[in-house]
Amino acid sequence: GRSDDLLLPPPERVPRADVLLVEATYGNRLHPKEDVQARLGDIVRRTVQRGGSVLMPAFAVGRAQALLLVLQRLKREGDIPPSLPIFLDSPMAIAATELTLRHRRLLRVSARELAQLTDGVRFVETGVQSQRLSRNRMPAVIISASGMATGGRVLHHLQAMAPDERHHIVFPGFQVAGTRGARLVAGEREVKIFGEMVPVRADVSHLEGFSGHADADELMQWLRGFERAPRHCFVVHGDPQATDALRFRIGNELSWRASVPPHATAVEV
């Protein structure tokens, strides 16, 4: 987790461990130094002004709720139209939002802000409602899953919106290489959806600042909180460049024993 996460308090320090597994999604890079709220506000304003909608493929747990929080802040500050419809189109995201509100005392957000998290937000419960939303002609913000556009309801929204240059597709998080989301972020102008090649004329943006994963420096900062070194540190959950870069930093800066376990290997502890 991140020390400045929008919803969650900073990760707790762990004083000691015999064996440590640490993720390395951003093990070889840092998050961009940008105001993601301001950038998202600018994207929404420009898109709405030309009559388009903003589609955000988002992870249902955590990311969708963070996006709702930022969109509500933008509305209150007058940076986007207060009447702009926001649709949450993911049964899992709807359930996760309800759980978030139920356990609000665990979060770093004020009770007042959390009470306004879903003000004016329209929950899209059924598949029929979701299909109808894809045919909507009025400007709106649609948050739907999956976050990397590998499946789920977001696909028929992409199919309907990607060919239209008025719209904007915003990916607010990490995109694994080879996924549909990663290809769109890389600038591909045609993607396959439901067996058909769909042209991409809509704008596409990647807001990595919304990621819930710690970057390389944040990971190292957390590791330095240990009172003594683990007997061994396994670096996992990252592409080969990221895991190897973090393994090197752990060995070089902390003098810990660290390795990247090959896929499917067994380790006896």
Side-chain angles (χ1 to χ4, degrees):
R2 303 185 64 181
S3 58
D4 60 348
D5 190 272
L6 282 162
L7 292 171
L8 300 174
E12 294 184 8
R13 296 291 186 180
V14 176
R16 61 185 64 86
D18 297 319
V19 175
L20 174 68
L21 278 74
V22 61
E23 66 120 327
T25 308
Y26 283 87
N28 60 341
R29 58 196 187 280
L30 306 180
H31 291 303
K33 301 297 183 183
E34 66 173 354
D35 186 335
V36 290
Q37 177 172 315
R39 188 174 170 206
L40 179 58
D42 181 62
I43 287 171
V44 173
R45 282 194 307 276
R46 288 188 288 108
T47 304
V48 169
Q49 286 169 1
R50 64 179 182 240
S53 292
V54 175
L55 173 64
M56 291 193 281
F59 304 116
V61 180
R63 194 64 40 77
Q65 294 74 44
L67 290 169
L68 290 177
L69 178 68
V70 170
L71 289 167
Q72 295 291 13
R73 288 176 177 174
L74 289 169
K75 282 191 172 188
R76 283 196 302 274
E77 295 169 15
D79 291 329
I80 63 175
S83 60
L84 180 66
I86 299 172
F87 295 91
L88 185 60
D89 185 12
S90 162
M92 183 182 289
I94 292 169
T97 301
E98 292 169 347
L99 281 170
T100 298
L101 295 175
R102 192 183 309 167
H103 299 283
R104 62 187 66 186
R105 71 184 187 283
L106 300 175
L107 306 179
R108 70 189 308 168
V109 185
S110 71
R112 182 177 179 180
E113 267 206 298
L114 283 173
Q116 300 170 338
L117 189 67
T118 58
D119 284 1
V121 177
R122 307 180 193 185
F123 289 174
V124 182
E125 302 278 1
T126 70
V128 172
Q129 292 171 336
S130 182
Q131 293 281 353
R132 190 181 302 130
L133 177 59
S134 285
R135 298 190 291 272
N136 177 50
R137 301 297 180 188
M138 299 299 293
V141 174
I142 301 172
I143 303 171
S144 188
S146 67
M148 299 183 195
T150 53
R153 292 183 180 180
V154 76
L155 292 184
H156 58 250
H157 295 309
L158 269 176
Q159 187 179 43
M161 296 172 67
D164 191 331
E165 61 188 12
R166 296 175 303 164
H167 300 315
H168 203 129
I169 302 163
V170 178
F171 287 92
F174 183 75
Q175 302 297 309
V176 171
T179 62
R180 192 178 283 107
R183 296 201 303 273
L184 284 166
V185 166
E188 288 196 15
R189 305 314 296 173
E190 194 176 49
V191 291
K192 181 178 284 189
I193 302 175
F194 300 134
E196 298 180 1
M197 297 307 296
V198 176
V200 180
R201 302 186 186 95
D203 288 337
V204 178
S205 293
H206 188 199
L207 300 186
E208 284 192 86
F210 275 107
S211 175
H213 291 279
D215 65 18
D217 282 354
E218 290 171 324
L219 287 166
M220 292 302 299
Q221 181 184 17
W222 181 78
L223 291 169
R224 290 189 179 96
F226 279 74
E227 295 174 358
R228 65 168 183 254
R231 284 190 286 120
H232 198 91
C233 179
F234 293 102
V235 183
V236 298
H237 198 281
D239 62 35
Q241 294 79 16
T243 51
D244 194 57
L246 186 62
R247 174 203 60 79
F248 177 80
R249 284 193 66 176
I250 291 170
N252 188 53
E253 297 178 28
L254 301 179
S255 299
W256 291 6
R257 291 182 58 199
S259 65
V260 179
H263 177 66
T265 55
V267 177
E268 187 171 319
V269 177

